[in-house]
């Protein structure tokens, strides 16, 4: 878990720096004030889900697979609800928010899948 947190923190810092540069240099008119909170939300959510999945992978690989599929579905549904709620309250910044949400979802999900795959492969070999 410690290795995961270090990598997750590195990715989050890289995203913060890159997004800061993109929004300050190229697209300042599309910057949304909630972006730092959105980044923190993804960071904490990914860390919590990963910790839970690690516990499940240690117990039973079959149960882990079902849990992973359920969590992925719920996570996608939750992020979709978040996007809709944001669009209702801030129509002006809806498009930049949804684009940022989608990019963060893809980046963090890709990272999570790589890490979980690596862990489950090593757990399956034991």
């Amino acid at each position: 878990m410690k290795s995961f947190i270090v990598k997750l923190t590195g990715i989050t810092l890289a995203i913060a720096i890159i997004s800061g540069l993109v929004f300050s240099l190229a697209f300042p008119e599309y910057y949304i004030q909630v972006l730092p909170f959105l980044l923190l939300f993804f960071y904490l959510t990914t860390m919590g889900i990963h910790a839970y999945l690690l516990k499940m992978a240690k117990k039973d690989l079959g149960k882990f697979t079902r849990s992973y599929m359920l969590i992925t579905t719920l996570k996608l549904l939750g992020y979709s609800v978040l996007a809709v709620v944001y669009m209702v309250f801030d129509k002006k910044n809806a498009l930049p928010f949804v684009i940022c949400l989608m990019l963060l979802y893809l980046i963090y999900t890709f990272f999570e899948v790589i890490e979980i795959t690596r862990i489950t492969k090593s757990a399956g070999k034991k």
Side-chain angles (χ1 to χ4, degrees), residues 1-16 34-51 75 79 82 100-101 104-105 107-109 111-112:
M1 187 69 185
K2 185 177 180 180
S3 170
F4 178 81
I5 292 172
V6 169
K7 290 176 189 176
L8 182 64
T9 303
I11 287 173
T12 302
L13 290 174
I15 292 169
V34 297
L35 185 60
F37 300 106
L38 192 60
L39 197 55
L40 180 64
F41 174 73
F42 271 91
Y43 177 80
L44 295 174
T45 303
T46 302
M47 190 184 315
I49 289 172
H50 186 76
K75 187 169 65 168
Y79 293 153
L82 178 66
C100 289
L101 183 73
L104 289 174
Y105 176 78
I107 292 167
Y108 280 96
T109 300
F111 171 68
E112 183 183 350

Side-chain angles (χ1 to χ4, degrees), residues 68 72 108-120:
Y68 182 74
T72 301
Y108 280 96
T109 300
F110 184 72
F111 171 68
E112 183 183 350
V113 167
I114 288 172
E115 290 297 310
I116 287 294
T117 302
R118 186 180 55 77
I119 290 166
T120 54

Side-chain angles (χ1 to χ4, degrees), residues 74-92:
L74 292 174
K75 187 169 65 168
L76 185 56
L77 182 63
Y79 293 153
S80 298
V81 168
L82 178 66
V84 170
V85 168
Y86 189 88
M87 287 188 289
V88 166
F89 288 106
D90 190 2
K91 290 178 176 65
K92 179 184 171 216

